[in-house]
Amino acid sequence: MALPLLLRLTSSSSSSSPLRFRKPFRLLAYTLAYTFSTTSQPNPPPIRVSLTDSVGRAVFATRPILTGDLIHTAEPAICHPSPSSLHPVCYSCLASLPNQSTVSPFCSHRCHQRSKEYYDVEMKANWTDFDNYCRNQGLKYPFLVKRLACMIISGVARSDSIDILQPANLTPEMILEMEEEFTLLRNAFTKALIEDEQIAFLTKQWYISVLARIRINAFRIELAGGGSYEDLLSSAFASVEAEAAVGNAVYILPSFYNHDCDPNAHIIWIDSAVAKLKTLRDIDEGEELRICYIDTSMDRDARRELLFRGFGFHCNCSRCLHGD
């Protein structure tokens, strides 16, 4: 049975007892209405989210965790199939569909039922102009904004659903480039006769704010499929062509993990967008859990440049500082 995750928010400089939150909870002045799946675990995950003086939010182990152990799973707050995906995938969970599947965009009745409300909203609009513009410009994240907007209109999500996530720093040029896609998105809903009060949230400011968060918190979903743990571990570090991605997704808890070029944990996807966080080595109680945001096989200069351009920070992990 899936259990709601209990996040423990503590201050690194405080010795007081941790605060416990249940869905929905207020964290850093934002409301998060989201359930983290712990399907394969009988107890809440052995982690806490704490505020630190050096890196802000961070995820720490609350007990020793062995190499290869599942820390927790997480379902996406938003996901969307890749516009360049070579194979059909489920509209809801991004699981592979049979190549001949033209009857339904869902892999199961469960996915259909959980997505029906916002799927119906999306199907009301003509997305030709919006989709073509994004594809021609090589944009992928606006599709996630479109999906979130449909979820909000249908009532299954709030307009502040991902406000808790850290936003990217946007230049005036980047903001200017977003205006066209925003206009196309809003026009699609307007032409579909979606009532004004239902899209009152859809302002340019909201669009830019959401996209700024998606830009540095979205994960590219590459399904590992079956195989041994060693096979999955290898695939997690492999450099994969862009077309291999089945889609993109935004998660809440996995976005709290900080980066390290020599991580002690990693995130994998087996057959759907349900993320699995697993340890790469033995973890001590109180140790911070970190994942790698990029391909660890790149040299130091390439890694640091990519992290700065994509995530806006200079990496000072031990591996980078030692020139590895």
Side-chain angles (χ1 to χ4, degrees):
M1 177 182 295
L3 299 173
L5 172 65
L6 295 179
L7 284 187
R8 301 200 298 166
L9 176 64
T10 64
S11 169
S12 61
S13 59
S14 172
S15 60
S16 60
S17 300
L19 300 175
R20 293 181 179 269
F21 300 87
R22 285 186 182 271
K23 172 192 154 189
F25 63 85
R26 210 168 256 284
L27 179 60
L28 300 184
Y30 295 123
T31 298
L32 171 62
Y34 188 73
T35 298
F36 298 111
S37 170
T38 59
T39 305
S40 58
Q41 296 175 264
N43 299 309
I47 56 174
R48 58 181 169 85
V49 177
S50 295
L51 298 176
T52 69
D53 295 331
S54 57
V55 294
R57 284 175 304 209
V59 179
F60 295 88
T62 57
R63 62 166 173 79
I65 312 174
L66 299 178
T67 302
D69 276 1
L70 177 66
I71 306 167
H72 66 86
T73 65
E75 296 201 17
I78 325 162
C79 68
H80 195 282
S82 170
S84 61
S85 178
L86 298 179
H87 304 288
V89 297
C90 178
Y91 173 94
S92 177
C93 74
L94 306 186
S96 296
L97 295 175
N99 289 331
Q100 296 78 22
S101 178
T102 57
V103 178
S104 172
F106 302 100
C107 68
S108 66
H109 178 70
R110 177 177 180 270
C111 279
H112 185 199
Q113 289 302 112
R114 70 188 300 187
S115 310
K116 185 179 185 305
E117 289 85 357
Y118 55 89
Y119 176 76
D120 289 345
V121 170
E122 186 168 337
M123 292 302 102
K124 289 180 181 179
N126 183 337
W127 296 105
T128 302
D129 291 343
F130 178 84
D131 290 355
N132 286 343
Y133 176 83
C134 292
R135 289 191 178 98
N136 292 338
Q137 297 296 318
L139 304 174
K140 55 187 177 180
Y141 298 139
F143 291 103
L144 288 167
V145 184
K146 178 179 78 171
R147 175 65 56 87
L148 178 57
C150 291
M151 295 170 70
I152 295 168
I153 292 169
S154 69
V156 302
R158 295 171 48 127
S159 60
D160 62 354
S161 293
I162 64 171
D163 282 6
I164 194 173
L165 301 181
Q166 180 72 22
N169 293 320
L170 302 177
T171 65
E173 292 76 17
M174 294 167 69
I175 294 175
L176 185 62
E177 291 172 357
M178 295 175 181
E179 291 187 3
E180 179 65 19
E181 62 208 56
F182 161 74
T183 300
L184 291 171
L185 178 67
R186 188 172 177 90
N187 285 348
F189 286 124
T190 302
K191 292 177 182 178
L193 303 181
I194 303 296
E195 296 182 6
D196 290 344
E197 56 265 30
Q198 289 184 284
I199 57 174
F201 71 91
L202 188 51
T203 63
K204 187 189 302 183
Q205 181 179 2
W206 178 87
Y207 183 89
I208 293 171
S209 174
V210 168
L211 199 54
R213 286 166 170 79
I214 289 175
R215 284 177 67 95
I216 60 170
N217 289 287
F219 289 83
R220 192 178 74 176
I221 310 302
E222 297 164 1
L223 303 184
S228 66
Y229 175 69
E230 288 74 16
D231 292 337
L232 298 178
L233 183 60
S234 297
S235 67
F237 288 105
S239 178
V240 186
E241 294 296 329
E243 288 76 11
V246 298
N248 297 280
V250 175
Y251 303 84
I252 303 301
L253 181 55
S255 293
F256 294 164
Y257 283 72
N258 288 313
H259 165 83
D260 199 297
C261 293
D262 184 22
N264 56 13
H266 70 150
I267 181 169
I268 59 174
W269 298 268
I270 306 302
D271 54 13
S272 72
V274 176
K276 297 180 182 295
L277 278 292
K278 305 190 78 168
T279 55
L280 292 170
R281 54 177 176 264
D282 288 351
I283 305 296
D284 295 327
E285 180 178 350
E287 183 178 352
E288 183 182 355
L289 291 158
R290 292 193 171 208
I291 61 176
C292 188
Y293 296 170
I294 58 173
D295 178 11
T296 58
S297 67
M298 294 186 294
D299 63 41
R300 184 189 68 166
D301 291 342
R303 293 196 313 271
R304 297 185 100 178
E305 180 181 358
L306 184 57
L307 287 166
F308 180 72
R309 286 194 290 108
F311 299 92
F313 68 88
H314 294 283
C315 186
N316 292 313
C317 71
S318 177
R319 185 180 170 194
C320 284
L321 290 178
H322 286 85
D324 182 6

